[in-house]
Amino acid sequence: MGKFLNIFLNDNKESLFILTALCGALTPLVVFAYVAKLKDEKTAFVAFLLTISSVYILNISLSMLSESVGLFFFFLGLYFFEVGKYKGSGVIFSIAFFARPSYLIFYIVGLVYIYFFKKDALKDILIAFFFMAFIFLFYIFLSNGMLFIYEAKRFIFGHFTLWGTGQNSDISWASNIFRYENIVYILLPLVFIKFDKKFLLILVLFISYFLWLIFAQNPENMRHLVPLSIFASILLSSVLINYHKIIITIFVFNIYILFTYTNKHSPIDQIITEIKDEKKIVISNRSIEILRASIKNRVFDKYYINSSKYYFQNKKVYMITTIRPKEKKYKVFKGRFLGERDYYLIEN
């Protein structure tokens, strides 16, 4: 989709920003449409208010990562499922999956749910899903060949053995979850006291993703909390529908949080303007493609440690990292919102 936009814009970064920002901004509207079909429009409006005012929506709208695309199409797929358009739902779920494969847990849980509670829809959804998946895979192999398999293996290996579950981090999920920005979710126990069976799928998705988050995601990346916050907002909407003062209080609190973030430019954009010497190479563990598209310097991915170490030891470089350096001299570039990491620049 980003490549399609790039046909008209001829700017990789701008195409990616428009796609991810648009999907992030439209996700609350899709949530509204889904909950309106699931329950009613009043409940849907509460879900919309809680979702659109959440700082996590700002996160996925501005971070230019695949979460916004994956979540937008996932909830759009849920909407199509709820209105009985099962083939369309299967196609959209396939788009969502290939946009964000790490949300695999959604589709495993959804498959089990449909098998037990909506078995007549299973065949149409699976046929449409795998048909669209075949088209995606054919296009990927046509464009990249076996490089796709190599990168997939590299990512999976790195995720579970090097960085993806917080192996080298001193941050815990407990410290991320128990933040004052998340205080509104202290009301979640009400969901179990006044549970509405229409929200069973959302509850199962919430619990399963929470477990996936704790055991298989990196606590350094708070964006992984985004799906959890949306599921939680939908669940809360089912029990807060008649508590108008609480809804308004939550909305005002969320808006207040949003206005506490004042930085206008992302850390990587700040760093790009800081890099002046085009003769120096750049080594980074984040935003590789953005760097390559935005500066003339040669950019190395720190993941490929052999080449990056060689150049760091033998050449004049800029080193970009999200881990606070041990070196005494470095510059720090602050994130704009909750979950956007601070970046550090070391010049050798």
Side-chain angles (χ1 to χ4, degrees):
M1 287 178 284
K3 288 185 177 180
F4 175 75
L5 282 175
N6 201 43
I7 295 173
F8 304 98
L9 300 174
N10 198 30
D11 186 319
N12 291 331
K13 185 180 175 183
E14 187 177 356
S15 300
L16 181 62
F17 175 76
I18 290 174
L19 174 64
T20 54
L22 194 61
C23 285
L26 292 177
T27 295
L29 289 174
V30 180
V31 168
F32 173 86
Y34 169 62
V35 177
K37 289 296 179 182
L38 188 66
K39 181 69 174 178
D40 54 55
E41 289 191 355
K42 289 183 178 180
T43 306
F45 185 64
V46 176
F48 172 79
L49 286 179
L50 297 182
T51 304
I52 200 170
S53 63
S54 169
V55 68
Y56 293 105
I57 289 296
L58 183 65
N59 183 305
I60 63 171
S61 298
L62 296 179
S63 60
M64 293 199 297
L65 295 169
S66 59
E67 280 89 354
S68 63
V69 183
L71 287 171
F72 170 78
F73 282 103
F74 177 72
F75 282 103
L76 186 63
L78 286 180
Y79 170 77
F80 271 69
F81 173 74
E82 197 60 34
V83 299
K85 296 181 179 180
Y86 302 131
K87 291 181 180 179
S89 178
V91 169
I92 294 169
F93 280 142
S94 188
I95 296 172
F97 174 72
F98 276 87
R100 186 70 183 176
S102 64
Y103 289 157
L104 173 65
I105 188 68
F106 295 168
Y107 306 98
I108 295 173
V109 170
L111 184 65
V112 174
Y113 176 87
I114 293 170
Y115 179 81
F116 284 104
F117 297 100
K118 201 72 175 179
K119 201 169 185 178
D120 59 312
L122 189 60
K123 182 179 178 180
D124 284 345
I125 291 175
L126 287 179
I127 290 174
F129 181 92
F130 285 112
F131 173 76
M132 199 66 189
F134 173 79
I135 293 176
F136 278 122
L137 288 171
F138 179 77
Y139 173 76
I140 290 170
F141 278 105
L142 197 64
S143 302
N144 302 304
M146 292 302 294
L147 180 63
F148 171 72
I149 299 297
Y150 174 76
E151 283 297 310
K153 288 170 64 178
R154 180 189 73 86
F155 179 84
I156 294 171
F157 174 81
H159 181 92
F160 288 103
T161 63
L162 299 176
W163 44 262
T165 58
Q167 297 94 324
N168 301 309
S169 174
D170 56 358
I171 301 174
S172 69
W173 275 119
S175 63
N176 283 338
I177 292 172
F178 296 107
R179 296 175 58 98
Y180 77 95
E181 292 95 340
N182 296 328
I183 196 171
V184 298
Y185 302 118
I186 200 171
L187 298 173
L188 276 172
L190 293 175
V191 172
F192 297 93
I193 297 171
K194 300 177 63 177
F195 183 64
D196 186 336
K197 291 182 179 180
K198 291 181 179 179
F199 292 83
L200 177 61
L201 175 58
I202 298 298
L203 179 61
V204 174
L205 285 167
F206 176 85
I207 294 172
S208 59
Y209 184 74
F210 178 77
L211 295 174
W212 174 253
L213 178 85
I214 297 299
F215 295 108
Q217 296 292 2
N218 189 349
E220 289 190 351
N221 295 323
M222 287 192 67
R223 67 179 186 273
H224 294 310
L225 284 169
V226 176
L228 207 63
S229 73
I230 298 177
F231 294 143
S233 296
I234 294 173
L235 291 171
L236 283 176
S237 72
S238 68
V239 296
L240 295 180
I241 183 63
N242 295 317
Y243 298 91
H244 300 157
K245 290 182 180 179
I246 295 177
I247 295 168
I248 293 172
T249 301
I250 293 173
F251 181 75
V252 171
F253 175 78
N254 284 346
I255 296 298
Y256 166 76
I257 295 298
L258 289 175
F259 276 96
T260 62
Y261 300 104
T262 56
N263 285 343
K264 295 181 179 180
H265 300 288
S266 70
I268 197 62
D269 281 333
Q270 297 173 50
I271 286 177
I272 287 170
T273 61
E274 185 74 20
I275 293 175
K276 306 294 185 182
D277 190 346
E278 295 180 2
K279 294 180 180 179
K280 292 186 177 183
I281 67 164
V282 176
I283 298 173
S284 178
N285 66 345
R286 288 290 189 278
S287 307
I288 299 298
E289 296 306 320
I290 293 175
L291 287 166
R292 286 173 176 165
S294 304
I295 60 177
K296 295 180 180 179
N297 303 59
R298 193 175 181 187
V299 178
F300 282 82
D301 189 338
K302 195 180 178 183
Y303 177 86
Y304 298 98
I305 194 68
N306 290 332
S307 60
S308 61
K309 266 189 176 180
Y310 170 79
Y311 277 93
F312 187 58
Q313 292 169 356
N314 294 278
K315 304 284 183 178
K316 294 293 185 180
V317 305
Y318 291 106
M319 173 70 80
I320 302 169
T321 179
T322 52
I323 301 171
R324 187 182 294 276
K326 295 179 180 179
E327 290 85 351
K328 292 182 179 179
K329 292 184 179 180
Y330 61 84
K331 293 182 180 179
V332 59
F333 300 85
K334 293 288 186 180
R336 295 164 293 174
F337 44 77
L338 178 66
E340 184 167 53
R341 305 273 298 277
D342 293 342
Y343 280 47
Y344 302 92
L345 178 65
I346 308 164
E347 188 172 354
N348 183 14

